[in-house]
Amino acid sequence: MSVMYIQGGAPLEGAWRVQGAKNSVLPVLAGCLLSPQPVVIRNCPRLSDVDAAVDILQHLGASCRWEGEKLVVDAGQASGTAIDEGRMRAMRSSIMFLGPLAARMGEATLTYPGGCELGPRPIDLHLEALRAMGCQVEEQDGTITCRGRPRGGVVTLKFPSVGATENAMLCGAGAAEDTTIVNAAREPEIVQLQQFLNALGGEVTGAGGSVITVRGGRPLHGGAISILGDRIVAATLLSGVAAAGGEVELQGVDWRHLSTVLQLFEQGGCRVRSAPGRIWFCRREDVPMKSVGPVATAPYPGFPTDAQAPVMAAFATARGTTIFQETMFSRRFGHVPELREMGADISLHGQGAWVRGVKRLHGAQVSATDLRGGGALAVAALGAQGETQLRGVEHIDRGYEHLEEMFNRLGAQIQRR
Ligand code: UD1
């Protein structure tokens, strides 16, 4: 297992084009199963979670090939209906194959998905959605079986789950009749999934709002999509600049997808300017950040739970106390003990983290226990004095495309050995 050696203290300067979004490409990859013709995915990030999705597609009989930053998926010959436990456990998004398998094959057998350990991550909303669309879904001894082609129907989600909304959209696009999803999640990745399904000949409307309609009975064909810029990678990079100081221009990301994060950094004393597809961000090295009012994670357009850890790392050295309230996942503070090793003063009270800013963090030996927590430790290390040895890099590789290259191009000193 490799280790990242991060020398802290250098300000970050320059421009960087943000990678394609992990959370956008994964449902798109599952959706490729719906098309009997090739699908071209542009700006596809190279991530271990993408490799895991490709492995599942190939296992089901699809062919996948990289052409530079494009991934071409041809599911014309796909005929598999089962995904084994090993493949399901490789990531949380393996569950996104349930809806497309039900729609294309009329049956699916899989197990519970894996993914980051953030507390219990049930899939009841996914299963209820498919049942509401007419599939017979059963769970026994850890195996989920789904039989019958989806008819369509009304799916009312108890909570606007991102994954359940996406699974219902994917299943609905292959259903015989129309599907309406009520209390749908509103994330930008859902708007992109609508764009993708429409590019394949589907007719999906309403994404970005709380009610999504998917027209059934439409044969899908091949098509192309360009994956949107990753707003969480962008938030991590900005957190790194807030922690280390400096001035950067981010390209390829929509600032509107990051407005809650940008507002917080502005309140903390950073300067932000934005234009279509660009964000200019500055934190003067001689001006420390200041604490901000309580930050509570919430479904989009609220503050993203995925940005909580990296942003917290930046506020660990802000003057005053900042409180982070995690409302989405019950165990999403795995980075806190590691940040404490680096000199941070953080106490946990239930789902709240009280971050009392210290003057400076120092390098230490720390371990990532989940993807975004790993991003947070890299952020902290960039602003810290001395060297940090960061283990658990495999978690980081699930969602950050060459994290060290991204920061090194802006003047950081990170080596992977
Ligand atoms: C997606 C993102 C993840 C992000 C999360 C919340 C992808 C690949 N991952 O995950 O990065 O942190 O949204 O923005 O897009 N829940 C249930 N039952 C279900 C499904 C979810 O109770 O069947 C609960 C979860 O436990 C959690 C909440 O709903 O408390 C939100 O989860 P959800 O929006 O589904 O997240 P994911 O789709 O797993």
Coordinates of all heavy atoms in Angstrom, one line a residue, residues 168-245:
A168 N -34.3 5.0 -9.8 CA -35.7 5.1 -10.3 C -35.7 5.7 -11.7 O -36.5 5.2 -12.6 CB -36.6 5.9 -9.4
M169 N -34.9 6.7 -12.0 CA -34.8 7.3 -13.3 C -34.3 6.3 -14.3 O -34.8 6.1 -15.4 CB -33.8 8.5 -13.3 CG -34.3 9.7 -12.6 SD -33.0 10.9 -12.3 CE -32.9 11.7 -14.0
L170 N -33.3 5.5 -14.0 CA -32.7 4.5 -14.9 C -33.7 3.4 -15.2 O -33.8 3.0 -16.3 CB -31.4 3.9 -14.3 CG -30.2 4.9 -14.2 CD1 -29.1 4.4 -13.2 CD2 -29.6 5.2 -15.6
C171 N -34.4 3.0 -14.1 CA -35.3 1.9 -14.3 C -36.5 2.4 -15.1 O -37.0 1.7 -16.1 CB -35.8 1.4 -12.9 SG -36.7 -0.1 -13.0
G172 N -36.9 3.6 -14.8 CA -38.1 4.2 -15.5 C -37.8 4.4 -17.0 O -38.7 4.3 -17.8
A173 N -36.6 4.7 -17.4 CA -36.2 4.9 -18.8 C -36.4 3.7 -19.6 O -36.6 3.8 -20.8 CB -34.8 5.5 -18.9
G174 N -36.4 2.5 -18.9 CA -36.6 1.3 -19.7 C -38.0 0.6 -19.4 O -38.3 -0.5 -19.7
A175 N -38.9 1.4 -18.7 CA -40.2 0.8 -18.3 C -41.2 1.0 -19.4 O -41.0 1.8 -20.3 CB -40.7 1.6 -17.0
A176 N -42.3 0.2 -19.3 CA -43.3 0.2 -20.4 C -44.1 1.5 -20.4 O -44.4 2.0 -21.4 CB -44.2 -1.0 -20.2
E177 N -44.4 2.0 -19.1 CA -45.2 3.2 -19.0 C -44.5 4.3 -18.3 O -43.3 4.1 -17.9 CB -46.5 2.8 -18.3 CG -47.4 1.8 -19.1 CD -48.5 1.2 -18.2 OE1 -48.9 1.8 -17.2 OE2 -48.9 0.1 -18.6
D178 N -45.2 5.4 -18.1 CA -44.5 6.6 -17.5 C -44.2 6.4 -16.0 O -44.9 5.6 -15.3 CB -45.3 7.8 -17.6 CG -45.5 8.2 -19.1 OD1 -44.9 7.5 -19.9 OD2 -46.3 9.1 -19.4
T179 N -43.2 7.1 -15.5 CA -42.8 7.0 -14.1 C -42.7 8.5 -13.6 O -42.2 9.3 -14.2 CB -41.4 6.4 -13.8 OG1 -41.5 5.0 -14.3 CG2 -41.0 6.4 -12.4
T180 N -43.3 8.7 -12.4 CA -43.2 10.0 -11.7 C -42.4 9.8 -10.4 O -42.8 9.0 -9.6 CB -44.5 10.7 -11.5 OG1 -45.2 10.7 -12.7 CG2 -44.4 12.1 -11.0
I181 N -41.4 10.6 -10.2 CA -40.6 10.5 -9.0 C -40.9 11.7 -8.1 O -40.6 12.8 -8.6 CB -39.1 10.3 -9.2 CG1 -38.8 9.2 -10.2 CG2 -38.3 10.1 -7.9 CD1 -37.4 9.2 -10.8
V182 N -41.5 11.5 -7.0 CA -41.9 12.6 -6.1 C -40.9 12.7 -4.9 O -40.5 11.7 -4.4 CB -43.3 12.4 -5.6 CG1 -43.7 13.5 -4.7 CG2 -44.3 12.2 -6.7
N183 N -40.5 13.9 -4.5 CA -39.5 14.2 -3.5 C -38.1 13.7 -4.0 O -37.3 13.1 -3.3 CB -39.8 13.5 -2.2 CG -39.0 14.1 -1.0 OD1 -38.5 15.2 -1.1 ND2 -38.9 13.4 0.0
A184 N -37.9 13.9 -5.3 CA -36.6 13.5 -5.9 C -35.5 14.4 -5.4 O -35.7 15.5 -5.0 CB -36.7 13.7 -7.4
A185 N -34.2 13.8 -5.3 CA -33.0 14.6 -5.0 C -32.8 15.6 -6.2 O -33.2 15.3 -7.3 CB -31.9 13.6 -4.8
R186 N -32.1 16.7 -5.9 CA -32.0 17.8 -6.9 C -30.6 18.1 -7.3 O -30.3 19.1 -7.8 CB -32.7 19.0 -6.3 CG -34.1 18.8 -6.0 CD -34.7 19.9 -5.0 NE -34.5 21.2 -5.6 CZ -34.6 22.3 -4.9 NH1 -35.0 22.3 -3.6 NH2 -34.4 23.5 -5.5
E187 N -29.7 17.2 -7.0 CA -28.2 17.4 -7.2 C -27.9 17.6 -8.7 O -28.6 17.1 -9.6 CB -27.4 16.2 -6.7 CG -27.0 16.2 -5.3 CD -28.1 16.1 -4.2 OE1 -29.3 16.0 -4.6 OE2 -27.8 16.2 -3.0
P188 N -26.9 18.4 -9.0 CA -26.5 18.6 -10.4 C -26.3 17.3 -11.2 O -26.5 17.2 -12.4 CB -25.2 19.4 -10.3 CG -25.2 20.0 -9.0 CD -26.0 19.1 -8.1
E189 N -25.8 16.2 -10.4 CA -25.5 14.9 -11.1 C -26.8 14.3 -11.6 O -26.8 13.5 -12.5 CB -24.8 14.0 -10.1 CG -23.4 14.4 -9.7 CD -23.4 15.6 -8.7 OE1 -24.4 15.9 -8.0 OE2 -22.3 16.2 -8.6
I190 N -28.0 14.7 -10.9 CA -29.3 14.1 -11.4 C -29.7 14.9 -12.6 O -30.3 14.3 -13.6 CB -30.3 14.3 -10.2 CG1 -29.8 13.3 -9.1 CG2 -31.7 14.0 -10.7 CD1 -30.6 12.9 -8.1
V191 N -29.4 16.1 -12.7 CA -29.7 16.9 -14.0 C -28.9 16.3 -15.1 O -29.4 16.1 -16.2 CB -29.4 18.4 -13.8 CG1 -29.6 19.1 -15.1 CG2 -30.2 19.0 -12.6
Q192 N -27.6 15.9 -14.8 CA -26.8 15.3 -15.8 C -27.3 13.9 -16.3 O -27.3 13.6 -17.4 CB -25.3 15.2 -15.4 CG -24.5 14.4 -16.4 CD -23.2 15.0 -16.8 OE1 -22.2 14.8 -16.1 NE2 -23.2 15.7 -17.9
L193 N -27.9 13.2 -15.3 CA -28.4 11.9 -15.7 C -29.6 12.0 -16.6 O -29.8 11.3 -17.6 CB -28.8 11.1 -14.4 CG -29.2 9.6 -14.6 CD1 -28.0 8.8 -15.3 CD2 -29.6 9.0 -13.3
Q194 N -30.4 13.1 -16.3 CA -31.5 13.4 -17.2 C -31.0 13.7 -18.7 O -31.5 13.2 -19.6 CB -32.3 14.6 -16.7 CG -33.3 15.2 -17.7 CD -34.1 16.3 -17.0 OE1 -35.0 16.1 -16.2 NE2 -33.9 17.5 -17.4
Q195 N -30.0 14.5 -18.7 CA -29.4 14.9 -20.0 C -28.9 13.6 -20.7 O -29.1 13.5 -21.9 CB -28.2 15.8 -19.7 CG -27.6 16.5 -20.8 CD -26.2 17.1 -20.4 OE1 -25.9 17.2 -19.2 NE2 -25.5 17.5 -21.4
F196 N -28.3 12.7 -20.0 CA -27.8 11.5 -20.5 C -28.9 10.6 -21.1 O -28.8 10.2 -22.3 CB -27.0 10.7 -19.5 CG -26.6 9.3 -19.9 CD1 -25.6 9.1 -20.9 CD2 -27.1 8.2 -19.2 CE1 -25.2 7.8 -21.2 CE2 -26.7 6.9 -19.6 CZ -25.8 6.8 -20.6
L197 N -29.9 10.4 -20.3 CA -31.0 9.5 -20.8 C -31.7 10.1 -22.0 O -32.1 9.4 -22.9 CB -32.0 9.3 -19.6 CG -31.5 8.4 -18.5 CD1 -32.4 8.4 -17.3 CD2 -31.2 7.0 -19.0
N198 N -31.8 11.5 -22.0 CA -32.4 12.1 -23.2 C -31.5 12.0 -24.4 O -32.0 11.9 -25.5 CB -32.7 13.6 -22.9 CG -33.9 13.7 -21.9 OD1 -34.6 12.7 -21.6 ND2 -34.1 14.8 -21.3
A199 N -30.2 12.0 -24.2 CA -29.3 11.8 -25.3 C -29.4 10.4 -25.9 O -29.1 10.2 -27.1 CB -27.8 12.1 -24.9
L200 N -29.9 9.5 -25.1 CA -30.0 8.1 -25.6 C -31.4 7.9 -26.2 O -31.8 6.8 -26.6 CB -29.8 7.1 -24.5 CG -28.5 7.0 -23.8 CD1 -28.4 5.8 -22.9 CD2 -27.3 7.0 -24.8
G201 N -32.2 9.0 -26.3 CA -33.6 8.9 -26.9 C -34.7 8.8 -25.8 O -35.8 8.6 -26.2
G202 N -34.3 8.9 -24.5 CA -35.4 8.9 -23.5 C -36.1 10.3 -23.4 O -35.7 11.2 -24.2
E203 N -37.1 10.3 -22.6 CA -37.8 11.6 -22.4 C -38.0 11.8 -20.9 O -39.0 11.3 -20.3 CB -39.1 11.6 -23.2 CG -39.7 13.0 -23.4 CD -41.0 12.9 -24.1 OE1 -41.2 12.0 -25.0 OE2 -41.9 13.8 -23.8
V204 N -37.0 12.5 -20.3 CA -37.0 12.8 -18.9 C -37.1 14.3 -18.7 O -36.4 15.0 -19.3 CB -35.7 12.2 -18.2 CG1 -35.8 12.4 -16.7 CG2 -35.5 10.8 -18.6
T205 N -38.0 14.7 -17.8 CA -38.1 16.1 -17.5 C -38.2 16.3 -16.0 O -38.5 15.4 -15.2 CB -39.4 16.7 -18.1 OG1 -40.5 15.9 -17.7 CG2 -39.3 16.8 -19.6
G206 N -37.9 17.5 -15.5 CA -38.0 17.9 -14.1 C -36.8 17.8 -13.2 O -36.9 18.2 -12.1
A207 N -35.7 17.2 -13.7 CA -34.5 17.0 -12.9 C -34.0 18.4 -12.4 O -34.0 19.3 -13.2 CB -33.4 16.2 -13.6
G208 N -33.6 18.5 -11.2 CA -33.2 19.8 -10.6 C -34.3 20.3 -9.7 O -34.1 21.1 -8.9
G209 N -35.5 19.8 -10.0 CA -36.7 20.1 -9.1 C -37.1 18.8 -8.3 O -36.4 17.8 -8.5
S210 N -38.2 18.9 -7.6 CA -38.5 17.8 -6.7 C -39.4 16.7 -7.4 O -39.6 15.7 -6.8 CB -39.2 18.3 -5.5 OG -38.3 19.1 -4.7
V211 N -39.9 17.0 -8.6 CA -40.7 16.0 -9.3 C -40.1 15.7 -10.7 O -39.9 16.6 -11.5 CB -42.2 16.5 -9.4 CG1 -43.0 15.4 -10.2 CG2 -42.8 16.8 -8.1
I212 N -39.8 14.5 -10.9 CA -39.1 14.1 -12.2 C -40.1 13.1 -12.9 O -40.7 12.2 -12.3 CB -37.8 13.4 -11.9 CG1 -36.8 14.3 -11.2 CG2 -37.2 12.9 -13.2 CD1 -35.5 13.7 -10.8
T213 N -40.3 13.4 -14.2 CA -41.1 12.5 -15.0 C -40.3 11.8 -16.0 O -39.5 12.4 -16.7 CB -42.2 13.3 -15.7 OG1 -42.9 14.1 -14.7 CG2 -43.2 12.4 -16.4
V214 N -40.5 10.5 -16.1 CA -39.7 9.7 -17.1 C -40.7 9.0 -18.0 O -41.6 8.2 -17.5 CB -38.9 8.6 -16.4 CG1 -38.0 7.9 -17.4 CG2 -38.0 9.2 -15.2
R215 N -40.7 9.3 -19.3 CA -41.6 8.7 -20.2 C -41.2 7.2 -20.5 O -40.0 7.0 -20.7 CB -41.7 9.5 -21.5 CG -42.9 9.0 -22.4 CD -43.4 10.0 -23.3 NE -43.8 11.3 -22.8 CZ -45.0 11.6 -22.2 NH1 -45.9 10.6 -21.9 NH2 -45.3 12.8 -21.8
G216 N -42.2 6.3 -20.4 CA -41.9 4.9 -20.6 C -42.1 4.6 -22.1 O -42.6 5.4 -22.9
G217 N -41.7 3.3 -22.4 CA -42.0 2.8 -23.8 C -41.2 3.4 -24.9 O -41.6 3.3 -26.0
R218 N -40.1 4.1 -24.5 CA -39.3 4.7 -25.6 C -38.0 3.8 -25.8 O -37.2 3.6 -24.8 CB -38.8 6.1 -25.2 CG -40.0 7.1 -25.2 CD -39.5 8.5 -24.9 NE -38.6 9.0 -25.9 CZ -39.0 9.7 -26.9 NH1 -40.3 10.1 -27.1 NH2 -38.1 10.2 -27.8
P219 N -37.8 3.3 -27.0 CA -36.6 2.5 -27.2 C -35.4 3.4 -27.1 O -35.4 4.5 -27.7 CB -36.8 2.0 -28.6 CG -37.8 2.9 -29.3 CD -38.6 3.5 -28.2
L220 N -34.3 3.0 -26.4 CA -33.1 3.8 -26.3 C -32.1 3.4 -27.3 O -32.1 2.2 -27.8 CB -32.5 3.7 -24.9 CG -33.5 4.2 -23.8 CD1 -32.8 4.2 -22.4 CD2 -34.1 5.6 -24.0
H221 N -31.2 4.3 -27.7 CA -30.2 4.0 -28.7 C -28.8 4.5 -28.1 O -28.8 5.0 -27.0 CB -30.5 4.6 -30.0 CG -30.9 6.1 -29.9 ND1 -30.1 7.1 -29.5 CD2 -32.1 6.7 -30.1 CE1 -30.7 8.2 -29.5 NE2 -31.9 8.1 -29.9
G222 N -27.8 4.4 -29.0 CA -26.5 4.9 -28.5 C -26.4 6.4 -28.4 O -27.4 7.1 -28.8
G223 N -25.4 7.0 -27.9 CA -25.3 8.4 -27.8 C -24.0 8.8 -27.1 O -23.1 8.0 -26.9
A224 N -23.8 10.1 -26.7 CA -22.6 10.6 -26.1 C -23.0 11.6 -25.0 O -24.0 12.2 -25.0 CB -21.7 11.3 -27.1
I225 N -22.1 11.6 -24.0 CA -22.3 12.6 -22.9 C -20.9 13.1 -22.5 O -19.9 12.3 -22.5 CB -23.0 11.9 -21.7 CG1 -23.2 12.8 -20.5 CG2 -22.2 10.7 -21.2 CD1 -24.6 13.5 -20.5
S226 N -20.8 14.3 -22.0 CA -19.6 14.8 -21.5 C -19.8 15.1 -20.0 O -20.7 15.8 -19.6 CB -19.2 16.1 -22.2 OG -18.0 16.6 -21.6
I227 N -19.0 14.4 -19.2 CA -19.2 14.4 -17.7 C -18.9 15.8 -17.1 O -17.9 16.4 -17.4 CB -18.4 13.3 -17.0 CG1 -18.8 11.9 -17.5 CG2 -18.5 13.4 -15.5 CD1 -20.3 11.6 -17.3
L228 N -19.8 16.3 -16.3 CA -19.6 17.7 -15.7 C -18.5 17.6 -14.7 O -18.1 16.6 -14.2 CB -20.9 18.1 -15.1 CG -21.5 17.3 -13.9 CD1 -20.9 17.6 -12.6 CD2 -23.0 17.7 -13.8
G229 N -17.9 18.8 -14.4 CA -16.8 19.0 -13.5 C -17.2 18.6 -12.1 O -18.3 18.8 -11.7
D230 N -16.3 18.0 -11.4 CA -16.5 17.5 -10.0 C -16.5 18.6 -9.0 O -15.5 19.1 -8.6 CB -15.5 16.4 -9.7 CG -15.9 15.5 -8.5 OD1 -16.3 16.1 -7.5 OD2 -15.8 14.3 -8.6
R231 N -17.7 18.9 -8.4 CA -17.8 20.0 -7.5 C -17.2 19.7 -6.2 O -16.7 20.5 -5.4 CB -19.3 20.4 -7.3 CG -20.2 19.3 -6.7 CD -21.7 19.6 -7.0 NE -22.4 18.5 -6.7 CZ -23.1 18.2 -5.5 NH1 -23.0 19.1 -4.6 NH2 -23.8 17.1 -5.3
I232 N -17.1 18.4 -5.8 CA -16.4 18.0 -4.5 C -14.9 18.1 -4.7 O -14.2 18.5 -3.7 CB -16.9 16.6 -4.1 CG1 -18.4 16.6 -4.0 CG2 -16.3 16.3 -2.7 CD1 -19.1 17.7 -3.1
V233 N -14.4 17.7 -5.8 CA -12.9 17.8 -6.0 C -12.6 19.3 -6.0 O -11.6 19.7 -5.4 CB -12.5 17.2 -7.4 CG1 -11.1 17.5 -7.7 CG2 -12.7 15.7 -7.3
A234 N -13.5 20.1 -6.6 CA -13.2 21.6 -6.6 C -13.3 22.1 -5.2 O -12.4 22.9 -4.8 CB -14.3 22.3 -7.5
A235 N -14.2 21.7 -4.4 CA -14.3 22.1 -3.0 C -13.0 21.7 -2.2 O -12.5 22.4 -1.4 CB -15.5 21.5 -2.3
T236 N -12.5 20.5 -2.5 CA -11.3 20.1 -1.9 C -10.1 20.9 -2.3 O -9.3 21.3 -1.4 CB -11.0 18.6 -2.2 OG1 -12.2 17.8 -2.0 CG2 -9.8 18.0 -1.5
L237 N -10.0 21.2 -3.5 CA -8.9 22.1 -4.0 C -9.0 23.5 -3.4 O -8.0 24.0 -2.9 CB -8.9 22.2 -5.5 CG -7.6 22.5 -6.2 CD1 -7.5 21.9 -7.5 CD2 -7.4 24.0 -6.2
L238 N -10.2 24.0 -3.3 CA -10.3 25.4 -2.7 C -10.0 25.3 -1.2 O -9.4 26.2 -0.7 CB -11.8 25.9 -2.9 CG -12.2 26.1 -4.4 CD1 -13.6 26.6 -4.4 CD2 -11.3 27.0 -5.1
S239 N -10.4 24.2 -0.6 CA -10.0 24.0 0.8 C -8.5 24.0 1.0 O -8.0 24.5 2.0 CB -10.6 22.7 1.4 OG -12.0 22.7 1.3
G240 N -7.8 23.4 0.1 CA -6.4 23.3 0.1 C -5.8 24.7 0.0 O -4.8 25.1 0.7
V241 N -6.3 25.5 -0.9 CA -5.9 26.9 -1.0 C -6.2 27.7 0.3 O -5.4 28.5 0.8 CB -6.5 27.6 -2.2 CG1 -6.0 29.0 -2.4 CG2 -6.2 26.8 -3.5
A242 N -7.4 27.5 0.8 CA -7.8 28.2 2.1 C -6.8 27.8 3.2 O -6.4 28.6 4.0 CB -9.2 27.9 2.4
A243 N -6.4 26.5 3.2 CA -5.5 26.1 4.3 C -4.0 26.6 4.1 O -3.4 27.0 5.0 CB -5.5 24.5 4.3
A244 N -3.5 26.5 2.8 CA -2.1 26.8 2.6 C -1.9 28.3 2.2 O -0.8 28.8 2.2 CB -1.6 25.9 1.5
G245 N -3.0 29.0 1.8 CA -2.8 30.3 1.2 C -2.5 30.2 -0.3 O -2.2 29.1 -0.8

